[in-house]
Amino acid sequence: MKILVPIKRVVDYNVKVRVKADGTGVDLANVKMSMNPFDEIAIEEAVRLREAGIATEVIAVSCGLAACQETLRTAMAIGADRAILVESDVDLQPLAVAKLIKAVAAKEQPQMVIFGKQAIDDDANQTGQMFAALTGWPQATFASKVVVANGMATVTREIDGGAETLEFKLPVVVTTDLRLNEPRYATLPNIMKAKKKQLDTLKPADLGVDVTPRLTTLKVMDPPKRGAGVKVADVKELVAKLKNEAKVI
């Protein structure tokens, strides 16, 4: 079984992002970039399936700038067997990425595609679902447990107020939630080995995909600063403030 894992290069989760002065986007100058945390979980799950003898190959794929090669090398240090970069200078939106991943999947013929449920930069939570719609494959989003056996995938997914277990015939699309696993650290020997692993580069034109943006960002701004807390003398005053000032009751 072959597993395809799309990954995204994002601003590191420890970095406090800054909005550009002109409001056109986020300032990325001299900012630490890393793999999207949910995609790390996806890579870890794919590698565990290969280590268990269920999968035979794990392929990491990323769409974006040439700098994404560094992120792909990290994925191979975690355990991916090889990687594919679909290089583009265009600001790739979820639908364009889904179409690119579909084209890559058509070439590679994986039996499972594991996405992170969302990227921490745009929080779109769309690409995995769009890919499933484009391919017609069954999907299990927000997965907290994945079991594969006898050509079937059994996925426990988190829903409001509990969990839901679904069973599918392969091929299948899975998007990972936080509780699926704890990603391993890439060791120095594995980081060195990753430098020698195969990394292929394609262009959107090679895959026959139009990645022209369909959405325009009008303005990016910081959220309003939170006001200071106010002490109240009793419940009566609290209720009055909630009703007359906050207007929430």
Side-chain angles (χ1 to χ4, degrees):
M1 185 178 81
K2 187 184 293 187
I3 302 178
L4 192 68
V5 185
I7 63 175
K8 187 175 184 181
R9 178 176 178 264
V10 299
V11 175
D12 189 87
Y13 70 92
N14 287 310
V15 174
K16 180 176 174 58
V17 296
R18 302 184 305 273
V19 175
K20 292 180 180 178
D22 58 5
T24 58
V26 174
D27 186 4
L28 299 179
N30 301 316
V31 171
K32 181 183 178 183
M33 308 292 284
S34 61
M35 189 190 307
N36 179 49
F38 289 103
D39 299 342
E40 286 189 68
I41 295 171
I43 283 284
E44 174 66 26
E45 190 65 20
V47 171
R48 290 187 185 188
L49 288 171
R50 191 201 61 215
E51 291 174 343
I54 297 168
T56 55
E57 186 179 29
V58 176
I59 306 165
V61 58
S62 189
C63 306
L65 301 172
C68 292
Q69 291 186 32
E70 179 184 350
T71 311
L72 288 169
R73 294 290 178 194
T74 300
M76 289 189 284
I78 292 173
D81 298 291
R82 58 188 175 93
I84 300 170
L85 170 62
V86 183
E87 188 177 346
S88 175
D89 294 331
V90 176
D91 180 20
L92 297 174
Q93 295 173 349
L95 181 58
V97 175
K99 289 180 177 179
L100 291 171
I101 301 301
K102 179 191 174 186
V104 172
K107 292 168 65 72
E108 296 292 340
Q109 295 294 308
Q111 285 70 54
M112 180 178 286
V113 180
I114 307 180
F115 290 81
K117 73 171 184 177
Q118 65 194 75
I120 62 172
D121 52 1
D122 58 17
D123 275 333
N125 186 10
Q126 295 174 336
T127 309
Q129 292 90 324
M130 287 178 169
F131 173 86
L134 290 170
T135 58
W137 292 7
Q139 61 175 314
T141 55
F142 318 130
S144 58
K145 184 179 180 181
V146 177
V147 178
V148 181
N150 302 319
M152 302 290 290
T154 303
V155 182
T156 302
R157 59 185 299 265
E158 299 196 4
I159 59 175
D160 291 341
E164 178 182 46
T165 300
L166 304 173
E167 188 175 66
F168 307 95
K169 287 184 178 180
L170 300 177
V172 66
V173 181
V174 175
T175 74
T176 64
D177 213 327
L178 283 172
R179 279 159 288 280
L180 180 58
N181 61 53
E182 181 72 29
R184 71 193 70 184
Y185 287 102
T187 62
L188 182 58
N190 287 337
I191 291 172
M192 300 306 293
K193 290 176 184 177
K195 294 180 179 180
K196 298 180 181 180
K197 289 185 178 181
Q198 180 182 345
L199 196 162
D200 299 319
T201 301
L202 302 171
K203 298 286 187 181
D206 299 333
L207 300 171
V209 177
D210 179 11
V211 295
T212 304
R214 297 173 179 235
L215 304 175
T216 302
T217 300
L218 301 180
K219 188 176 182 181
V220 178
M221 66 190 78
D222 286 310
K225 292 185 178 180
R226 186 175 179 178
V230 178
K231 288 185 177 181
V232 294
D234 50 34
V235 174
K236 183 177 180 180
E237 185 182 355
L238 172 62
V239 172
K241 285 185 176 293
L242 290 175
K243 183 176 182 180
N244 302 321
E245 295 182 19
K247 299 186 184 303
V248 294
I249 60 173

